[in-house]
Amino acid sequence: MATSLEVRGLTVELPTPGGWVRPVNEVSFTLGEGETLGIVGESGSGKTMLSLALMGLEPHGARHAGEAWLSLRGAGNGDGGKNGGARNAARANLLTISQNEMRALRGREIAMIFQEPMTALNPVLRIGAQVEEAIRVHEPRAAESEIQRRALQALQRAALSDPARRARQYPHQLSGGLRQRVMIAMALAAGPGVLIADEPTTALDVTVQKQILELLAKLRRELQLSMLFITHDLGVVAQVAGRIAVMYAGRIVEEGPVAEVLRAPRHPYTEGLLRAAPRLTREKLVPIPGTVPSLDALPPGCAFAPRCPHRVAECDAAAPELRAVNKNHEARCILVR
Amino acid sequence: MPGEILLEARALSKSYSVSTGAFTQSARRALAVDGVSFALERGETLGIVGESGCGKTTLARMLMRLIEPDSGEILFRGEDWLGARGAKLRSLRRRMQMVFQDPIASLNPRLRVGSIVGEPLAIHEPQLSGEERVARTAEILEAVGLGRDAVTRYPHEFSGGQRQRIGIARALILRPELVIADEPVSALDVSVGAQILELLARLQREFSLTLMLISHSLPVVAQLASRVAVLQTGRIVEIGAAEQVLGAPQHPYTQALLAAVPEIPE
Ligand SMILES: Nc1ncnc2c1ncn2[C@@H]1O[C@H](COP(=O)(O)OP(=O)(O)OP(=O)(O)O)[C@@H](O)[C@H]1O
Ligand SMILES: Nc1ncnc2c1ncn2[C@@H]1O[C@H](COP(=O)(O)OP(=O)(O)OP(=O)(O)O)[C@@H](O)[C@H]1O
Ligand code: SF4
Ligand SMILES: [Mg+2]
Ligand SMILES: [Mg+2]
């Protein structure tokens, strides 16, 4: 499987009155072409910050380190950036390219959809005009009629009924589910190869969520999309992703095939999340004691140690490395031998 | 063994006016709750589920008498709750309390936690001495898993789950018979949500509470409810024992809701 996105040692730091904090800490993963990687983790674990860093949209004052190589669809197979430099015909390092280069890639090679579509849509512009704009930025010389045709096609692809009528409506005239379809249409309008979906269904009812998940699965197949799918819902990740990465306090603590990780988790945090998740059959929920540590007061060793039932002295000595469970599955815990 | 009926709703309805377009003056009324009837037995947990906008919060607010129904009746402890006035109203009101969805918005940020939680005592049990009030406040804070030292701190010093505990402590301090919890965990992470659900289950046993648990999430309701009512566009389309409604749903809408729940593989 060809690689779409390869992230190595991505760290994001933000300035706070008490000093720098690290919402994203040494994150590495590989996203294969046509693959969906689910990223799960509780509020504040760094999921959105990771996505924003990849999109070149971090908050003002942020600094970062590491590499994030995006394979460019528009290009043939070059040397894969191995000669150094921020960009060549085949790959671009999203963390080091210039703002202008990033703007050219955003939408065309990598795109993102957000949890709350209302904040990402312009409330005073008609839907059609917004989708057209997403195309126009990348094809300033295309004829207006061509752009309009492609915008309607994009809305149709997102399974909006009667796209011509929808194009004339304003965002507030649409339900949450329809707005999310518009966001998907916009994100995919310029034909990107990688889509980051940040909690795209969290604000929706389950029946609407089901439709959106089915739509994304269909588009992924048809367009050979590679997806980073961010959620805090383990059921959703089981449905959409092939692989899963679990984040805790800015780090990936477990990664592997989704079915294997959910059936046989190897990190106590993943295990805790599974036992705390309510299911349709009533079983005693086992809450994870305590709360997520604050980024300015992380424990010296394993960040999960204060909440971990298996903690021993070794856990507090140093932050554990990711250890291989097997060749596809790793966990950041000393219990993996 | 049919138990004592604590609360009974009879044909409750509530409509709101909705404007039909930005440029028209005309308004029509839309039914948010449409002829809802059910009875709540003492000691049971009734789960109310349904999608956004189906009328769950409107129903809860009517039961609490925070809004007036357009029509219908509510009997609480066998008495006409909607018609209660004066001393009767006060004595009934303290027996029914609500826990709100948003733990941040529902707590006054300028008050210390001790005042927030103890305030209902000052209103409903003014005969208590200052010392007694402090003791009751500390006792209930401990029951919900917050230390006694919480009394001197402000809401913003607590996490979302801890704030929800403060809301629960405030609801329980008067030792109510009925607690209506409207989406008590939907703003919380699973690990914290599980703590709150376990807390509600424990407090229900300890204080012999009758609980109405409102949630859009079937798995959440499944954890605590002994009976489940499914609300669709303001109407109860199915109500029955939890195992029955969740295990062998009869109404197509309940079936669709269940089929849409993304399940974690076993
Ligand atoms: N502008 C900022 N300045 C300082 N810290 C920030 C800023 N934005 C976010 N953070 C912190 O960075 C951490 C990661 O936040 P992030 O939004 O990535 O979490 P998340 O995993 O997406 O959570 P959620 O599930 O709530 O969306 C959090 O601790 C958050 O408080
Ligand atoms: N104050 C109000 N004025 C006008 N309409 C209202 C008002 N409150 C609620 N509604 C409408 O009544 C219907 C029911 O709303 P309600 O808040 O009871 O639903 P809900 O089931 O609690 O939804 P959610 O799951 O989103 O909390 C909705 O269509 C809503 O838009
Ligand atoms: S390293 Fe130690 S504290 Fe951390 S998760 Fe593993 S056992 Fe628990
Ligand atoms: Mg986020
Ligand atoms: Mg509500």
Side-chain angles (χ1 to χ4, degrees):
Chain A
M1 179 164 49
T3 298
S4 284
L5 179 65
E6 190 178 346
V7 176
R8 289 287 155 251
L10 171 54
T11 294
V12 178
E13 294 191 321
L14 292 171
T16 69
W20 292 91
V21 296
R22 277 194 183 183
V24 179
N25 197 350
E26 298 269 340
V27 164
S28 302
F29 61 82
T30 301
L31 180 66
E33 191 178 297
E35 184 185 47
T36 299
L37 173 67
I39 300 193
V40 300
E42 292 184 280
S43 190
S45 57
K47 308 181 297 294
T48 295
M49 204 57 70
L50 167 65
S51 325
L52 294 178
L54 296 174
M55 295 295 293
L57 297 171
E58 299 138 293
H60 186 71
R63 63 184 189 194
H64 54 234
E67 298 175 19
W69 290 99
L70 177 71
S71 302
L72 304 178
R73 271 199 166 177
N77 290 328
D79 70 348
K82 284 178 189 111
N83 295 338
R87 177 169 181 185
N88 62 28
R91 303 212 299 176
N93 183 351
L94 298 173
L95 300 181
T96 51
I97 55 176
S98 70
Q99 293 230 8
N100 277 338
E101 287 175 303
M102 189 67 229
R103 229 170 278 133
L105 295 188
R106 220 183 280 138
R108 173 146 220 137
E109 296 283 353
I110 183 167
M112 180 163 173
I113 51 179
F114 301 86
Q115 166 167 356
E116 198 7 276
M118 208 50 195
T119 55
L121 289 169
N122 185 335
V124 300
L125 272 188
R126 293 179 198 274
I127 298 299
Q130 302 195 45
V131 182
E132 286 165 24
E133 186 54 28
I135 299 168
R136 196 176 295 117
V137 277
H138 295 292
E139 314 206 9
R141 280 186 294 280
E144 275 309 293
S145 58
E146 169 65 9
I147 289 180
Q148 280 174 15
R149 191 188 63 76
R150 297 214 0 228
L152 281 184
Q153 190 188 22
L155 288 171
Q156 199 150 28
R157 201 161 51 204
L160 276 137
S161 56
D162 200 353
R165 184 169 67 89
R166 297 294 179 204
R168 290 192 299 273
Q169 290 183 310
Y170 291 93
H172 73 267
Q173 295 175 300
L174 305 182
S175 68
L178 290 178
R179 274 185 223 135
Q180 200 54 282
R181 286 176 192 271
V182 171
M183 283 303 303
I184 293 170
M186 271 171 69
L188 299 182
V194 173
L195 179 67
I196 303 179
D198 187 3
E199 312 236 17
T201 61
T202 304
L204 305 175
D205 282 324
V206 278
T207 50
V208 182
Q209 164 171 284
K210 184 164 180 248
Q211 295 161 7
I212 297 288
L213 295 181
E214 284 165 0
L215 171 66
L216 283 172
K218 175 168 161 284
L219 292 172
R220 187 183 62 80
R221 279 194 310 273
E222 289 176 1
L223 306 174
Q224 265 298 296
L225 276 180
S226 314
M227 265 209 296
L228 273 190
F229 193 105
I230 293 170
T231 174
H232 59 259
D233 188 323
L234 294 170
V236 167
V237 86
Q239 205 168 322
V240 299
R243 296 178 64 76
I244 181 175
V246 182
M247 281 186 80
Y248 189 76
R251 287 182 188 268
I252 290 179
V253 297
E254 182 158 12
E255 203 214 310
V258 74
E260 180 177 322
V261 170
L262 295 182
R263 286 209 180 88
R266 294 301 298 274
H267 195 285
Y269 176 62
T270 314
E271 216 176 333
L273 280 182
L274 280 160
R275 274 191 295 195
R279 300 173 194 237
L280 282 172
T281 48
R282 190 192 304 189
E283 272 159 47
K284 195 169 160 44
L285 294 184
V286 185
I288 303 176
T291 51
V292 175
S294 153
L295 288 178
D296 55 11
L298 287 180
C302 172
F304 188 60
R307 309 173 74 185
C308 183
H310 308 292
R311 179 187 196 172
V312 293
E314 187 186 345
C315 305
D316 298 316
E321 294 298 311
L322 277 170
R323 300 173 178 217
V325 174
N326 57 48
K327 74 178 200 309
N328 292 317
H329 182 176
E330 44 190 11
R332 194 179 288 285
C333 174
I334 58 147
L335 296 177
V336 177
R337 305 259 176 212
Chain B
M1 176 199 71
E4 177 201 347
I5 301 293
L6 182 61
L7 177 123
E8 190 178 350
R10 292 184 183 159
L12 280 182
S13 291
K14 176 75 188 175
S15 62
Y16 292 108
S17 61
V18 286
S19 64
T20 44
F23 304 107
T24 56
Q25 292 298 309
S26 68
R28 63 185 179 82
R29 303 205 49 94
L31 272 171
V33 171
D34 185 3
V36 163
S37 303
F38 64 90
L40 206 53
E41 276 181 27
R42 190 181 285 281
E44 79 167 330
T45 296
L46 176 66
I48 308 262
V49 288
E51 295 190 289
S52 184
C54 72
K56 304 181 295 294
T57 297
T58 303
L59 174 61
R61 293 173 66 83
M62 283 194 285
L63 297 176
M64 289 294 300
R65 272 192 76 178
L66 296 172
I67 53 174
E68 283 290 308
D70 298 343
S71 58
E73 285 177 76
I74 303 172
L75 296 182
F76 184 41
R77 307 174 99 242
E79 304 193 67
D80 173 17
W81 169 223
L82 294 176
R85 299 281 178 273
K88 171 103 274 167
L89 173 62
R90 276 196 302 281
S91 100
L92 284 177
R93 167 145 281 162
R94 56 168 302 172
R95 298 170 195 274
M96 190 195 290
Q97 296 294 324
M98 187 151 167
V99 175
F100 297 89
Q101 160 167 2
D102 188 342
I104 299 156
S106 59
L107 303 175
N108 185 338
R110 285 186 298 275
L111 291 184
R112 291 178 201 275
V113 168
S115 309
I116 292 174
V117 173
E119 188 182 42
L121 282 183
I123 297 167
H124 288 279
E125 299 185 29
Q127 75 285 1
L128 288 183
S129 71
E131 260 169 46
E132 286 169 311
R133 206 184 301 157
V134 169
R136 283 270 294 276
T137 305
E139 174 195 33
I140 198 72
L141 283 171
E142 241 162 60
V144 300
L146 291 170
R148 282 165 186 263
D149 62 328
V151 291
T152 58
R153 295 160 65 191
Y154 291 93
H156 74 261
E157 298 175 51
F158 293 88
S159 69
Q162 289 171 321
R163 288 187 196 137
Q164 195 55 285
R165 287 170 193 262
I166 297 170
I168 293 172
R170 183 185 154 94
L172 291 185
I173 195 159
L174 293 172
R175 298 176 184 149
E177 292 165 40
L178 171 62
V179 169
I180 300 179
D182 187 7
E183 305 275 6
V185 300
S186 59
L188 304 175
D189 276 320
V190 276
S191 75
V192 183
Q195 293 173 2
I196 297 296
L197 290 174
E198 285 300 303
L199 172 68
L200 284 172
R202 177 169 64 76
L203 294 172
Q204 181 188 31
R205 288 190 302 272
E206 279 172 21
F207 295 79
S208 333
L209 289 176
T210 307
L211 191 60
M212 216 168 116
L213 175 67
I214 296 175
S215 175
H216 64 274
S217 163
L218 283 160
V220 163
V221 159
Q223 300 317 305
L224 298 189
S226 44
R227 274 199 311 148
V228 173
V230 182
L231 210 55
Q232 182 191 24
T233 55
R235 293 167 190 244
I236 292 182
V237 297
E238 182 158 3
I239 183 167
E243 312 82 75
Q244 187 66 40
V245 174
L246 301 175
Q250 298 301 302
H251 194 279
Y253 180 65
T254 316
Q255 292 166 356
L257 276 184
L258 279 160
V261 173
E263 289 205 77
I264 304 170
E266 293 293 333

